[in-house]
């Protein structure tokens, strides 16, 4: 198939794909689903004219979707869990605690640290966003803060936690691709991760001190507190979440256990038909307070269907670009001309970022540059640790900045803020590749094969 789609044709197709997606999503503000479907149809048609059978294109398309079955199913579970946690008072309790403990000046750095700690403990940015993220989003918005700023701050912390946790799927994947020890990989990540997080933390402090809530906001929060009805029960599902993470249960298993525990609490006071409606359609508060309705009416598996649809299309596009050899045809000539350590790192970063915008799938955007540039890292005497960190600083984190990306679409759906709105405030994701480039240019924290061969890892913090 690679011979049927030449480098020139593959390059042209990629340019057209980028143009259509950028024009439709950024230029016209459209949902990504329609332009993605359009470019999929275009690629399949062009491939057929070049001798690729319908069956070959279909196989590549299906393979792409299959690679994302786990996160797609995960989204449905998270939609159900959000509804259950709202109905059983878990999220309202977290919001109530947030109102009691926080003030606008210190909310942003506190939200950043909270989501970072939770993300590290459970090893999943998705689960962090759908639990404490939803609660923090409600608190910040009602405090009068810009929703996009709040979302970007929460997301920055969640990504940091996911990236730094030995329980994280993406971190384990990067370690496996680079063929390095997991904990050595995480330790080496800190050369770029800690500076990016540190800058993000300082910025949130400055932005927080620039905000003061007015009397109206304070009164609105005070009027909501009696309506939130906090419960000690919230400790149970939160504890279950931590315990399942501690025992390193897969995300699907951990969420299913939490759903079962929360379901038992709900069914103790409600009918089976109410339970079924809750899981499918989400939670609907009985309060007439418009602010509370906006805050709590969410969740349910059906709420995730727009996101699931868009992600299926993005995965199908990624499957075509990868399965038909389009991405490799474009990158192969570039890889052979890289001679310096800095150029190899930069090319890997750009490939990971580009793959995210082209295929919309975090894992594929991590695997692809890892496979393409593994030999290049060896050729310029860079260790697997350098490769692992580079693909994490690009393929892993930047997927949250892509409107049609799996992670970006999920974050937008869960937090209720569009990707284009929160992307400029997701400083950790923006700064991670910058710190990686700085490391490559200065050599600080850049692990070489000479150091590995001498049997001494040098980690300076």
């Amino acid at each position: 198939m690679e011979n049927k789609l030449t480098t020139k044709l593959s390059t042209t197709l990629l340019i057209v794909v980028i143009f259509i997606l950028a024009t439709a999503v950024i230029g016209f503000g459209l949902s990504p689903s329609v332009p993605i479907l359009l470019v999929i149809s275009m690629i399949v048609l062009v491939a057929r004219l070049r001798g690729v059978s319908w069956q070959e294109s279909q196989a590549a398309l299906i393979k792409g979707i299959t690679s994302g079955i786990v996160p797609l199913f995960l989204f449905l579970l998270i939609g159900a869990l959000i509804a259950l946690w709202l109905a059983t008072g878990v999220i309202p309790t977290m919001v109530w605690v947030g109102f009691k403990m926080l003030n606008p000046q210190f909310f942003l750095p506190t939200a950043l640290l909270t989501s970072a700690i939770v993300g590290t403990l459970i090893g999943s940015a998705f689960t962090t966003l759908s639990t404490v993220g939803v609660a923090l989003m409600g608190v910040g918005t009602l405090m009068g803060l810009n929703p996009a700023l709040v979302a970007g701050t929460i997301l920055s912390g969640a990504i940091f936690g996911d990236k730094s946790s030995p329980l994280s799927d993406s971190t384990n994947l990067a370690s496996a691709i680079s063929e390095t020890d997991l904990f050595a990989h995480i330790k080496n990540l800190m050369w770029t991760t800690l500076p990016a997080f540190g800058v993000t933390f300082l910025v949130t402090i400055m932005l927080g001190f620039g905000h003061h809530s007015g009397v109206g906001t304070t009164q609105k929060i005070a009027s909501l507190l009696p309506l939130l009805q906090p419960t000690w029960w919230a400790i149970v599902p939160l504890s279950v979440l931590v315990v399942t993470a501690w025992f390193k249960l897969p995300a699907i298993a951990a969420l299913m256990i939490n759903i079962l525990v929360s379901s038992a609490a709900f069914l103790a006071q409600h009918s089976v038909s109410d339970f079924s409606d809750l899981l499918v359609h989400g939670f609907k508060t009985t309060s007439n307070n418009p602010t509370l309705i906006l805050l709590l009416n969410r969740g349910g598996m059906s709420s995730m269907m727009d996101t699931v649809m868009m992600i299926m299309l993005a995965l199908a596009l990624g499957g075509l670009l990868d399965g038909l050899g389009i991405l490799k045809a474009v990158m192969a000539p570039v890889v052979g001309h890289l001679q310096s350590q800095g150029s190899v790192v930069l090319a890997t970063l750009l490939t990971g970022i580009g793959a995210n915008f082209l295929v919309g799938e975090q894992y594929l955007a991590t695997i692809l540059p890892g496979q393409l540039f593994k030999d290049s890292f060896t050729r310029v005497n860079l260790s697997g640790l350098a490769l692992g960190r580079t693909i994490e600083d690009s393929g892993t984190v930047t997927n949250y900045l892509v409107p049609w990306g799996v992670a970006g679409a999920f974050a937008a759906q869960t937090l209720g803020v569009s990707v284009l709105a929160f992307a400029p405030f997701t400083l950790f994701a923006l700064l991670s590749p910058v710190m990686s480039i700085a490391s490559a240019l200065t050599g600080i924290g850049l692990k070489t094969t000479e150091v590995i061969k001498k049997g001494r890892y040098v980690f300076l913090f």
Side-chain angles (χ1 to χ4, degrees), residues 41-75:
S41 304
M42 176 194 69
I43 292 172
V44 171
L45 180 59
V46 171
R48 183 69 191 94
L49 294 175
R50 296 293 297 180
V52 179
S53 69
W54 297 114
Q55 290 76 15
E56 288 175 316
S57 293
Q58 179 175 293
L61 184 150
I62 292 173
K63 184 179 179 181
I65 296 175
T66 303
S67 68
I69 288 298
V70 171
L72 288 175
F73 185 63
L74 197 66
F75 292 169

PDB file of all heavy atoms in Angstrom, residues 41-75:
ATOM      1  N   SER A  41     -13.673  10.321   3.772  1.00  0.00           N
ATOM      2  CA  SER A  41     -14.227   9.961   2.466  1.00  0.00           C
ATOM      3  C   SER A  41     -13.258  10.319   1.354  1.00  0.00           C
ATOM      4  O   SER A  41     -13.073   9.553   0.393  1.00  0.00           O
ATOM      5  CB  SER A  41     -15.568  10.672   2.252  1.00  0.00           C
ATOM      6  OG  SER A  41     -16.474  10.379   3.288  1.00  0.00           O
ATOM      7  N   MET A  42     -12.620  11.478   1.486  1.00  0.00           N
ATOM      8  CA  MET A  42     -11.663  11.919   0.472  1.00  0.00           C
ATOM      9  C   MET A  42     -10.476  10.959   0.379  1.00  0.00           C
ATOM     10  O   MET A  42     -10.053  10.558  -0.710  1.00  0.00           O
ATOM     11  CB  MET A  42     -11.171  13.328   0.813  1.00  0.00           C
ATOM     12  CG  MET A  42     -10.087  13.853  -0.128  1.00  0.00           C
ATOM     13  SD  MET A  42      -9.258  15.317   0.553  1.00  0.00           S
ATOM     14  CE  MET A  42      -8.348  14.583   1.929  1.00  0.00           C
ATOM     15  N   ILE A  43      -9.926  10.576   1.537  1.00  0.00           N
ATOM     16  CA  ILE A  43      -8.753   9.693   1.550  1.00  0.00           C
ATOM     17  C   ILE A  43      -9.098   8.323   0.967  1.00  0.00           C
ATOM     18  O   ILE A  43      -8.332   7.761   0.169  1.00  0.00           O
ATOM     19  CB  ILE A  43      -8.217   9.542   2.984  1.00  0.00           C
ATOM     20  CG1 ILE A  43      -7.621  10.863   3.464  1.00  0.00           C
ATOM     21  CG2 ILE A  43      -7.167   8.432   3.059  1.00  0.00           C
ATOM     22  CD1 ILE A  43      -7.233  10.858   4.932  1.00  0.00           C
ATOM     23  N   VAL A  44     -10.246   7.775   1.350  1.00  0.00           N
ATOM     24  CA  VAL A  44     -10.655   6.467   0.837  1.00  0.00           C
ATOM     25  C   VAL A  44     -10.826   6.510  -0.674  1.00  0.00           C
ATOM     26  O   VAL A  44     -10.405   5.590  -1.398  1.00  0.00           O
ATOM     27  CB  VAL A  44     -11.966   6.009   1.516  1.00  0.00           C
ATOM     28  CG1 VAL A  44     -12.518   4.757   0.841  1.00  0.00           C
ATOM     29  CG2 VAL A  44     -11.728   5.737   2.994  1.00  0.00           C
ATOM     30  N   LEU A  45     -11.418   7.584  -1.170  1.00  0.00           N
ATOM     31  CA  LEU A  45     -11.634   7.722  -2.613  1.00  0.00           C
ATOM     32  C   LEU A  45     -10.307   7.858  -3.366  1.00  0.00           C
ATOM     33  O   LEU A  45     -10.084   7.181  -4.388  1.00  0.00           O
ATOM     34  CB  LEU A  45     -12.528   8.932  -2.902  1.00  0.00           C
ATOM     35  CG  LEU A  45     -12.838   9.211  -4.380  1.00  0.00           C
ATOM     36  CD1 LEU A  45     -13.540   8.013  -5.012  1.00  0.00           C
ATOM     37  CD2 LEU A  45     -13.700  10.467  -4.522  1.00  0.00           C
ATOM     38  N   VAL A  46      -9.427   8.713  -2.867  1.00  0.00           N
ATOM     39  CA  VAL A  46      -8.123   8.891  -3.510  1.00  0.00           C
ATOM     40  C   VAL A  46      -7.328   7.587  -3.489  1.00  0.00           C
ATOM     41  O   VAL A  46      -6.700   7.201  -4.485  1.00  0.00           O
ATOM     42  CB  VAL A  46      -7.326  10.014  -2.811  1.00  0.00           C
ATOM     43  CG1 VAL A  46      -5.883  10.060  -3.333  1.00  0.00           C
ATOM     44  CG2 VAL A  46      -7.998  11.361  -3.023  1.00  0.00           C
ATOM     45  N   ALA A  47      -7.373   6.896  -2.350  1.00  0.00           N
ATOM     46  CA  ALA A  47      -6.662   5.619  -2.232  1.00  0.00           C
ATOM     47  C   ALA A  47      -7.197   4.600  -3.242  1.00  0.00           C
ATOM     48  O   ALA A  47      -6.425   3.842  -3.846  1.00  0.00           O
ATOM     49  CB  ALA A  47      -6.788   5.090  -0.813  1.00  0.00           C
ATOM     50  N   ARG A  48      -8.508   4.583  -3.424  1.00  0.00           N
ATOM     51  CA  ARG A  48      -9.092   3.647  -4.388  1.00  0.00           C
ATOM     52  C   ARG A  48      -8.634   3.968  -5.809  1.00  0.00           C
ATOM     53  O   ARG A  48      -8.336   3.052  -6.602  1.00  0.00           O
ATOM     54  CB  ARG A  48     -10.629   3.716  -4.300  1.00  0.00           C
ATOM     55  CG  ARG A  48     -11.317   2.700  -5.237  1.00  0.00           C
ATOM     56  CD  ARG A  48     -11.083   1.302  -4.734  1.00  0.00           C
ATOM     57  NE  ARG A  48     -11.486   0.283  -5.707  1.00  0.00           N
ATOM     58  CZ  ARG A  48     -10.685  -0.289  -6.590  1.00  0.00           C
ATOM     59  NH1 ARG A  48      -9.394   0.059  -6.646  1.00  0.00           N
ATOM     60  NH2 ARG A  48     -11.138  -1.203  -7.412  1.00  0.00           N
ATOM     61  N   LEU A  49      -8.567   5.241  -6.136  1.00  0.00           N
ATOM     62  CA  LEU A  49      -8.107   5.649  -7.471  1.00  0.00           C
ATOM     63  C   LEU A  49      -6.641   5.285  -7.695  1.00  0.00           C
ATOM     64  O   LEU A  49      -6.208   5.127  -8.841  1.00  0.00           O
ATOM     65  CB  LEU A  49      -8.308   7.160  -7.658  1.00  0.00           C
ATOM     66  CG  LEU A  49      -9.773   7.642  -7.686  1.00  0.00           C
ATOM     67  CD1 LEU A  49      -9.830   9.167  -7.743  1.00  0.00           C
ATOM     68  CD2 LEU A  49     -10.516   7.034  -8.873  1.00  0.00           C
ATOM     69  N   ARG A  50      -5.894   5.151  -6.609  1.00  0.00           N
ATOM     70  CA  ARG A  50      -4.482   4.781  -6.704  1.00  0.00           C
ATOM     71  C   ARG A  50      -4.260   3.274  -6.568  1.00  0.00           C
ATOM     72  O   ARG A  50      -3.132   2.815  -6.445  1.00  0.00           O
ATOM     73  CB  ARG A  50      -3.683   5.514  -5.623  1.00  0.00           C
ATOM     74  CG  ARG A  50      -3.677   7.018  -5.768  1.00  0.00           C
ATOM     75  CD  ARG A  50      -2.927   7.479  -6.988  1.00  0.00           C
ATOM     76  NE  ARG A  50      -1.514   7.117  -6.917  1.00  0.00           N
ATOM     77  CZ  ARG A  50      -0.604   7.392  -7.847  1.00  0.00           C
ATOM     78  NH1 ARG A  50      -0.995   8.019  -8.951  1.00  0.00           N
ATOM     79  NH2 ARG A  50       0.645   7.034  -7.697  1.00  0.00           N
ATOM     80  N   GLY A  51      -5.334   2.515  -6.575  1.00  0.00           N
ATOM     81  CA  GLY A  51      -5.195   1.064  -6.573  1.00  0.00           C
ATOM     82  C   GLY A  51      -5.391   0.380  -5.252  1.00  0.00           C
ATOM     83  O   GLY A  51      -5.255  -0.847  -5.149  1.00  0.00           O
ATOM     84  N   VAL A  52      -5.701   1.127  -4.196  1.00  0.00           N
ATOM     85  CA  VAL A  52      -5.971   0.517  -2.895  1.00  0.00           C
ATOM     86  C   VAL A  52      -7.426   0.050  -2.877  1.00  0.00           C
ATOM     87  O   VAL A  52      -8.329   0.817  -3.167  1.00  0.00           O
ATOM     88  CB  VAL A  52      -5.736   1.524  -1.751  1.00  0.00           C
ATOM     89  CG1 VAL A  52      -6.054   0.885  -0.405  1.00  0.00           C
ATOM     90  CG2 VAL A  52      -4.295   2.028  -1.771  1.00  0.00           C
ATOM     91  N   SER A  53      -7.644  -1.202  -2.552  1.00  0.00           N
ATOM     92  CA  SER A  53      -8.998  -1.752  -2.584  1.00  0.00           C
ATOM     93  C   SER A  53      -9.851  -1.175  -1.463  1.00  0.00           C
ATOM     94  O   SER A  53      -9.345  -0.678  -0.452  1.00  0.00           O
ATOM     95  CB  SER A  53      -8.956  -3.280  -2.471  1.00  0.00           C
ATOM     96  OG  SER A  53      -8.530  -3.670  -1.177  1.00  0.00           O
ATOM     97  N   TRP A  54     -11.191  -1.277  -1.653  1.00  0.00           N
ATOM     98  CA  TRP A  54     -12.103  -0.840  -0.614  1.00  0.00           C
ATOM     99  C   TRP A  54     -11.866  -1.632   0.670  1.00  0.00           C
ATOM    100  O   TRP A  54     -11.961  -1.100   1.772  1.00  0.00           O
ATOM    101  CB  TRP A  54     -13.557  -1.041  -1.064  1.00  0.00           C
ATOM    102  CG  TRP A  54     -13.976  -0.244  -2.270  1.00  0.00           C
ATOM    103  CD1 TRP A  54     -14.324  -0.733  -3.488  1.00  0.00           C
ATOM    104  CD2 TRP A  54     -14.089   1.183  -2.375  1.00  0.00           C
ATOM    105  NE1 TRP A  54     -14.640   0.290  -4.353  1.00  0.00           N
ATOM    106  CE2 TRP A  54     -14.510   1.484  -3.691  1.00  0.00           C
ATOM    107  CE3 TRP A  54     -13.868   2.243  -1.487  1.00  0.00           C
ATOM    108  CZ2 TRP A  54     -14.734   2.776  -4.146  1.00  0.00           C
ATOM    109  CZ3 TRP A  54     -14.084   3.543  -1.937  1.00  0.00           C
ATOM    110  CH2 TRP A  54     -14.515   3.798  -3.240  1.00  0.00           C
ATOM    111  N   GLN A  55     -11.575  -2.926   0.500  1.00  0.00           N
ATOM    112  CA  GLN A  55     -11.364  -3.793   1.653  1.00  0.00           C
ATOM    113  C   GLN A  55     -10.139  -3.370   2.471  1.00  0.00           C
ATOM    114  O   GLN A  55     -10.150  -3.430   3.701  1.00  0.00           O
ATOM    115  CB  GLN A  55     -11.206  -5.250   1.203  1.00  0.00           C
ATOM    116  CG  GLN A  55     -12.480  -5.898   0.681  1.00  0.00           C
ATOM    117  CD  GLN A  55     -12.854  -5.440  -0.736  1.00  0.00           C
ATOM    118  OE1 GLN A  55     -12.032  -4.844  -1.447  1.00  0.00           O
ATOM    119  NE2 GLN A  55     -14.085  -5.718  -1.141  1.00  0.00           N
ATOM    120  N   GLU A  56      -9.066  -2.952   1.780  1.00  0.00           N
ATOM    121  CA  GLU A  56      -7.857  -2.507   2.477  1.00  0.00           C
ATOM    122  C   GLU A  56      -8.116  -1.236   3.277  1.00  0.00           C
ATOM    123  O   GLU A  56      -7.694  -1.102   4.427  1.00  0.00           O
ATOM    124  CB  GLU A  56      -6.730  -2.279   1.464  1.00  0.00           C
ATOM    125  CG  GLU A  56      -6.158  -3.551   0.882  1.00  0.00           C
ATOM    126  CD  GLU A  56      -5.133  -3.276  -0.201  1.00  0.00           C
ATOM    127  OE1 GLU A  56      -5.387  -2.401  -1.057  1.00  0.00           O
ATOM    128  OE2 GLU A  56      -4.071  -3.928  -0.196  1.00  0.00           O
ATOM    129  N   SER A  57      -8.823  -0.296   2.663  1.00  0.00           N
ATOM    130  CA  SER A  57      -9.152   0.949   3.369  1.00  0.00           C
ATOM    131  C   SER A  57     -10.075   0.674   4.546  1.00  0.00           C
ATOM    132  O   SER A  57      -9.907   1.239   5.633  1.00  0.00           O
ATOM    133  CB  SER A  57      -9.822   1.939   2.412  1.00  0.00           C
ATOM    134  OG  SER A  57      -8.918   2.380   1.418  1.00  0.00           O
ATOM    135  N   GLN A  58     -11.038  -0.223   4.346  1.00  0.00           N
ATOM    136  CA  GLN A  58     -11.961  -0.554   5.420  1.00  0.00           C
ATOM    137  C   GLN A  58     -11.230  -1.223   6.576  1.00  0.00           C
ATOM    138  O   GLN A  58     -11.510  -0.934   7.753  1.00  0.00           O
ATOM    139  CB  GLN A  58     -13.059  -1.477   4.891  1.00  0.00           C
ATOM    140  CG  GLN A  58     -14.060  -1.900   5.960  1.00  0.00           C
ATOM    141  CD  GLN A  58     -15.200  -2.707   5.402  1.00  0.00           C
ATOM    142  OE1 GLN A  58     -16.016  -2.187   4.638  1.00  0.00           O
ATOM    143  NE2 GLN A  58     -15.266  -3.984   5.755  1.00  0.00           N
ATOM    144  N   ALA A  59     -10.284  -2.109   6.254  1.00  0.00           N
ATOM    145  CA  ALA A  59      -9.520  -2.788   7.306  1.00  0.00           C
ATOM    146  C   ALA A  59      -8.711  -1.782   8.117  1.00  0.00           C
ATOM    147  O   ALA A  59      -8.633  -1.876   9.352  1.00  0.00           O
ATOM    148  CB  ALA A  59      -8.605  -3.836   6.691  1.00  0.00           C
ATOM    149  N   ALA A  60      -8.093  -0.799   7.444  1.00  0.00           N
ATOM    150  CA  ALA A  60      -7.311   0.228   8.141  1.00  0.00           C
ATOM    151  C   ALA A  60      -8.214   1.087   9.013  1.00  0.00           C
ATOM    152  O   ALA A  60      -7.863   1.432  10.152  1.00  0.00           O
ATOM    153  CB  ALA A  60      -6.572   1.101   7.121  1.00  0.00           C
ATOM    154  N   LEU A  61      -9.375   1.402   8.482  1.00  0.00           N
ATOM    155  CA  LEU A  61     -10.341   2.224   9.226  1.00  0.00           C
ATOM    156  C   LEU A  61     -10.814   1.500  10.487  1.00  0.00           C
ATOM    157  O   LEU A  61     -10.842   2.074  11.579  1.00  0.00           O
ATOM    158  CB  LEU A  61     -11.509   2.549   8.300  1.00  0.00           C
ATOM    159  CG  LEU A  61     -12.614   3.475   8.789  1.00  0.00           C
ATOM    160  CD1 LEU A  61     -13.200   4.231   7.588  1.00  0.00           C
ATOM    161  CD2 LEU A  61     -13.727   2.703   9.470  1.00  0.00           C
ATOM    162  N   ILE A  62     -11.163   0.235  10.346  1.00  0.00           N
ATOM    163  CA  ILE A  62     -11.646  -0.552  11.491  1.00  0.00           C
ATOM    164  C   ILE A  62     -10.537  -0.739  12.521  1.00  0.00           C
ATOM    165  O   ILE A  62     -10.778  -0.675  13.732  1.00  0.00           O
ATOM    166  CB  ILE A  62     -12.175  -1.915  11.011  1.00  0.00           C
ATOM    167  CG1 ILE A  62     -13.453  -1.712  10.180  1.00  0.00           C
ATOM    168  CG2 ILE A  62     -12.449  -2.839  12.192  1.00  0.00           C
ATOM    169  CD1 ILE A  62     -13.966  -2.970   9.533  1.00  0.00           C
ATOM    170  N   LYS A  63      -9.311  -0.966  12.057  1.00  0.00           N
ATOM    171  CA  LYS A  63      -8.183  -1.127  12.977  1.00  0.00           C
ATOM    172  C   LYS A  63      -7.981   0.133  13.812  1.00  0.00           C
ATOM    173  O   LYS A  63      -7.686   0.067  15.009  1.00  0.00           O
ATOM    174  CB  LYS A  63      -6.913  -1.451  12.198  1.00  0.00           C
ATOM    175  CG  LYS A  63      -5.712  -1.730  13.094  1.00  0.00           C
ATOM    176  CD  LYS A  63      -4.481  -2.078  12.269  1.00  0.00           C
ATOM    177  CE  LYS A  63      -3.274  -2.337  13.182  1.00  0.00           C
ATOM    178  NZ  LYS A  63      -2.050  -2.651  12.392  1.00  0.00           N
ATOM    179  N   GLY A  64      -8.159   1.280  13.188  1.00  0.00           N
ATOM    180  CA  GLY A  64      -8.025   2.535  13.915  1.00  0.00           C
ATOM    181  C   GLY A  64      -9.070   2.667  15.010  1.00  0.00           C
ATOM    182  O   GLY A  64      -8.767   3.060  16.137  1.00  0.00           O
ATOM    183  N   ILE A  65     -10.321   2.330  14.691  1.00  0.00           N
ATOM    184  CA  ILE A  65     -11.389   2.412  15.683  1.00  0.00           C
ATOM    185  C   ILE A  65     -11.168   1.399  16.797  1.00  0.00           C
ATOM    186  O   ILE A  65     -11.377   1.697  17.984  1.00  0.00           O
ATOM    187  CB  ILE A  65     -12.764   2.183  15.018  1.00  0.00           C
ATOM    188  CG1 ILE A  65     -13.054   3.305  14.014  1.00  0.00           C
ATOM    189  CG2 ILE A  65     -13.871   2.121  16.059  1.00  0.00           C
ATOM    190  CD1 ILE A  65     -14.321   3.104  13.212  1.00  0.00           C
ATOM    191  N   THR A  66     -10.717   0.205  16.421  1.00  0.00           N
ATOM    192  CA  THR A  66     -10.487  -0.842  17.413  1.00  0.00           C
ATOM    193  C   THR A  66      -9.456  -0.424  18.454  1.00  0.00           C
ATOM    194  O   THR A  66      -9.574  -0.768  19.635  1.00  0.00           O
ATOM    195  CB  THR A  66     -10.025  -2.139  16.719  1.00  0.00           C
ATOM    196  OG1 THR A  66     -11.009  -2.534  15.757  1.00  0.00           O
ATOM    197  CG2 THR A  66      -9.835  -3.262  17.726  1.00  0.00           C
ATOM    198  N   SER A  67      -8.458   0.342  18.020  1.00  0.00           N
ATOM    199  CA  SER A  67      -7.415   0.779  18.955  1.00  0.00           C
ATOM    200  C   SER A  67      -7.957   1.677  20.055  1.00  0.00           C
ATOM    201  O   SER A  67      -7.323   1.843  21.104  1.00  0.00           O
ATOM    202  CB  SER A  67      -6.306   1.527  18.190  1.00  0.00           C
ATOM    203  OG  SER A  67      -6.788   2.775  17.691  1.00  0.00           O
ATOM    204  N   GLY A  68      -9.145   2.253  19.821  1.00  0.00           N
ATOM    205  CA  GLY A  68      -9.722   3.162  20.814  1.00  0.00           C
ATOM    206  C   GLY A  68     -10.934   2.610  21.529  1.00  0.00           C
ATOM    207  O   GLY A  68     -11.653   3.366  22.191  1.00  0.00           O
ATOM    208  N   ILE A  69     -11.167   1.316  21.425  1.00  0.00           N
ATOM    209  CA  ILE A  69     -12.347   0.722  22.061  1.00  0.00           C
ATOM    210  C   ILE A  69     -12.324   0.922  23.578  1.00  0.00           C
ATOM    211  O   ILE A  69     -13.339   1.220  24.205  1.00  0.00           O
ATOM    212  CB  ILE A  69     -12.439  -0.781  21.723  1.00  0.00           C
ATOM    213  CG1 ILE A  69     -12.852  -0.970  20.259  1.00  0.00           C
ATOM    214  CG2 ILE A  69     -13.431  -1.483  22.636  1.00  0.00           C
ATOM    215  CD1 ILE A  69     -14.214  -0.407  19.920  1.00  0.00           C
ATOM    216  N   VAL A  70     -11.145   0.772  24.185  1.00  0.00           N
ATOM    217  CA  VAL A  70     -11.046   0.912  25.644  1.00  0.00           C
ATOM    218  C   VAL A  70     -11.439   2.318  26.105  1.00  0.00           C
ATOM    219  O   VAL A  70     -12.301   2.461  26.974  1.00  0.00           O
ATOM    220  CB  VAL A  70      -9.638   0.537  26.144  1.00  0.00           C
ATOM    221  CG1 VAL A  70      -9.486   0.891  27.625  1.00  0.00           C
ATOM    222  CG2 VAL A  70      -9.385  -0.956  25.944  1.00  0.00           C
ATOM    223  N   PRO A  71     -10.828   3.391  25.560  1.00  0.00           N
ATOM    224  CA  PRO A  71     -11.276   4.722  26.007  1.00  0.00           C
ATOM    225  C   PRO A  71     -12.723   5.031  25.656  1.00  0.00           C
ATOM    226  O   PRO A  71     -13.411   5.723  26.414  1.00  0.00           O
ATOM    227  CB  PRO A  71     -10.316   5.687  25.291  1.00  0.00           C
ATOM    228  CG  PRO A  71      -9.690   4.904  24.202  1.00  0.00           C
ATOM    229  CD  PRO A  71      -9.661   3.488  24.667  1.00  0.00           C
ATOM    230  N   LEU A  72     -13.220   4.513  24.542  1.00  0.00           N
ATOM    231  CA  LEU A  72     -14.623   4.752  24.188  1.00  0.00           C
ATOM    232  C   LEU A  72     -15.555   4.138  25.232  1.00  0.00           C
ATOM    233  O   LEU A  72     -16.532   4.762  25.664  1.00  0.00           O
ATOM    234  CB  LEU A  72     -14.922   4.175  22.805  1.00  0.00           C
ATOM    235  CG  LEU A  72     -14.325   4.916  21.612  1.00  0.00           C
ATOM    236  CD1 LEU A  72     -14.598   4.161  20.321  1.00  0.00           C
ATOM    237  CD2 LEU A  72     -14.848   6.335  21.515  1.00  0.00           C
ATOM    238  N   PHE A  73     -15.263   2.907  25.636  1.00  0.00           N
ATOM    239  CA  PHE A  73     -16.070   2.261  26.673  1.00  0.00           C
ATOM    240  C   PHE A  73     -15.885   2.970  28.010  1.00  0.00           C
ATOM    241  O   PHE A  73     -16.826   3.108  28.795  1.00  0.00           O
ATOM    242  CB  PHE A  73     -15.670   0.789  26.791  1.00  0.00           C
ATOM    243  CG  PHE A  73     -16.514   0.001  27.747  1.00  0.00           C
ATOM    244  CD1 PHE A  73     -17.874  -0.169  27.520  1.00  0.00           C
ATOM    245  CD2 PHE A  73     -15.963  -0.559  28.885  1.00  0.00           C
ATOM    246  CE1 PHE A  73     -18.663  -0.890  28.402  1.00  0.00           C
ATOM    247  CE2 PHE A  73     -16.742  -1.288  29.778  1.00  0.00           C
ATOM    248  CZ  PHE A  73     -18.099  -1.447  29.531  1.00  0.00           C
ATOM    249  N   LEU A  74     -14.672   3.455  28.239  1.00  0.00           N
ATOM    250  CA  LEU A  74     -14.368   4.181  29.471  1.00  0.00           C
ATOM    251  C   LEU A  74     -15.231   5.433  29.592  1.00  0.00           C
ATOM    252  O   LEU A  74     -15.708   5.777  30.681  1.00  0.00           O
ATOM    253  CB  LEU A  74     -12.885   4.552  29.493  1.00  0.00           C
ATOM    254  CG  LEU A  74     -12.260   4.946  30.828  1.00  0.00           C
ATOM    255  CD1 LEU A  74     -12.250   3.773  31.779  1.00  0.00           C
ATOM    256  CD2 LEU A  74     -10.829   5.447  30.604  1.00  0.00           C
ATOM    257  N   PHE A  75     -15.464   6.113  28.476  1.00  0.00           N
ATOM    258  CA  PHE A  75     -16.275   7.328  28.494  1.00  0.00           C
ATOM    259  C   PHE A  75     -17.702   7.024  28.950  1.00  0.00           C
ATOM    260  O   PHE A  75     -18.309   7.792  29.703  1.00  0.00           O
ATOM    261  CB  PHE A  75     -16.319   7.968  27.107  1.00  0.00           C
ATOM    262  CG  PHE A  75     -15.002   8.538  26.669  1.00  0.00           C
ATOM    263  CD1 PHE A  75     -14.821   8.946  25.363  1.00  0.00           C
ATOM    264  CD2 PHE A  75     -13.935   8.653  27.546  1.00  0.00           C
ATOM    265  CE1 PHE A  75     -13.616   9.473  24.944  1.00  0.00           C
ATOM    266  CE2 PHE A  75     -12.716   9.173  27.137  1.00  0.00           C
ATOM    267  CZ  PHE A  75     -12.560   9.586  25.831  1.00  0.00           C
TER     268      PHE A  75
END
